[in-house]
Amino acid sequence: MVDMMTASPWDLWYSTSCCLCCHVRTGTFILGVWYMIINAVVLLILLTALSDPEKYHLTSAELANDLDVMDDANMCIASAISLLMILICGMATYGAYKLRAAWIIPFFCYQIFDFALNTLVAVSIVVYPNTIQDYLQQLPDNFPYKDEIAALSNVCLVLVVLIFISCILGFKLYLIACVWNCYRYVCSRGTAEILLYVTTNDTTVLLPPSEDVLSVPHKQGAPLSSSRMTA
């Protein structure tokens, strides 16, 4: 009981398992690969649209607006962001696989930034509930269930959107905790595997970690200890 009270909140939430079945290192590896696949697909779509702009270029006239939805400059920026995300996710995947804690930090920072943006969206919906109706009016006429959704009251729309965003934020927060626990696990593994150096006057003896010493079986016929020999 005393240990629970004196332990820090980070230690209370620390766990080496995620999703009830896999290790946090495996979960971070799978999460990094999944994000890499998603961003690779987005990058492929953007590059395809840039290669043939007349076929894939969407004007906002199709979305009942006066400005262009996506021009070449914005598509280039989106492509650069997708490429950067592939690099960050690749670093997290490599860090989880090779036990490199520093390689996981950029992906963790991205998760914090993404969580903060989604939180700001939820706060803006609470402060400005009419933005949902404005967003619905900007949708194309052939959008599924547009009239049914627009017929709902503002309170009902805000409640539904907040519940949906809260579920997303809870899931993102759980993924952040998994990556953070993986970072702590990798850091603890790195400190546990530090070799001990015992320096004497003329020689330096390299000792393995204590776990390796305990795991080595004792050979039969080993010499008696000094205490038994003197006895």
Side-chain angles (χ1 to χ4, degrees), residues 100-222:
R100 301 289 188 270
W103 291 69
I104 306 176
I105 295 178
F107 184 72
F108 178 76
C109 294
Y110 157 74
Q111 286 184 302
I112 297 295
F113 180 74
D114 181 62
F115 182 82
L117 286 181
N118 286 272
T119 305
L120 290 177
V121 171
V123 173
S124 65
I125 291 174
V126 175
V127 178
Y128 304 103
N130 294 328
T131 55
I132 301 177
Q133 291 289 348
D134 296 337
Y135 177 76
L136 290 175
Q137 293 177 2
Q138 295 177 1
L139 294 176
D141 296 333
N142 57 354
F143 189 82
Y145 304 104
K146 177 183 177 181
D147 297 333
E148 289 80 358
I149 297 175
L152 297 175
S153 62
N154 288 335
V155 177
C156 185
L157 283 176
V158 170
L159 183 61
V160 171
V161 173
L162 285 180
I163 292 175
F164 180 72
I165 294 179
S166 299
C167 295
I168 295 178
L169 289 178
F171 182 69
K172 287 180 179 292
L173 189 62
Y174 180 76
L175 295 180
I176 290 173
C178 292
V179 176
W180 174 250
N181 289 333
C182 178
Y183 172 78
R184 293 189 61 185
Y185 171 77
V186 173
C187 290
S188 62
R189 281 289 301 269
T191 55
E193 292 180 357
I194 295 177
L195 299 179
L196 303 177
Y197 292 89
V198 179
T199 306
T200 59
N201 292 332
D202 299 326
T203 59
T204 300
V205 181
L206 182 63
L207 298 179
S210 58
E211 293 83 358
D212 297 340
V213 175
L214 295 176
S215 61
V216 175
H218 295 284
K219 296 182 180 180
Q220 296 181 355

Side-chain angles (χ1 to χ4, degrees), residues 1-130:
M1 185 66 180
V2 177
D3 295 337
M4 294 289 292
M5 297 177 61
T6 57
S8 63
W10 296 110
D11 294 332
L12 295 177
W13 287 98
Y14 176 71
S15 175
T16 57
S17 62
C18 63
C19 301
L20 303 177
C21 60
C22 63
H23 197 272
V24 289
R25 182 184 170 193
T26 306
T28 304
F29 182 85
I30 296 175
L31 184 62
V33 173
W34 174 249
Y35 271 81
M36 285 179 62
I37 294 174
I38 293 177
N39 287 277
V41 172
V42 172
L43 181 62
L44 181 61
I45 294 174
L46 293 174
L47 293 178
T48 305
L50 285 174
S51 63
D52 194 357
E54 296 181 356
K55 182 178 180 181
Y56 296 96
H57 183 72
L58 293 177
T59 60
S60 53
E62 302 174 359
L63 299 177
N65 205 339
D66 297 331
L67 300 176
D68 288 338
V69 176
M70 183 70 74
D71 54 5
D72 293 341
N74 291 331
M75 293 182 69
C76 291
I77 295 174
S79 301
I81 294 175
S82 298
L83 186 61
L84 179 62
M85 284 302 306
I86 292 175
L87 178 62
I88 292 175
C89 297
M91 292 174 62
T93 304
Y94 177 82
Y97 180 73
K98 291 292 186 180
L99 297 178
R100 301 289 188 270
W103 291 69
I104 306 176
I105 295 178
F107 184 72
F108 178 76
C109 294
Y110 157 74
Q111 286 184 302
I112 297 295
F113 180 74
D114 181 62
F115 182 82
L117 286 181
N118 286 272
T119 305
L120 290 177
V121 171
V123 173
S124 65
I125 291 174
V126 175
V127 178
Y128 304 103
N130 294 328

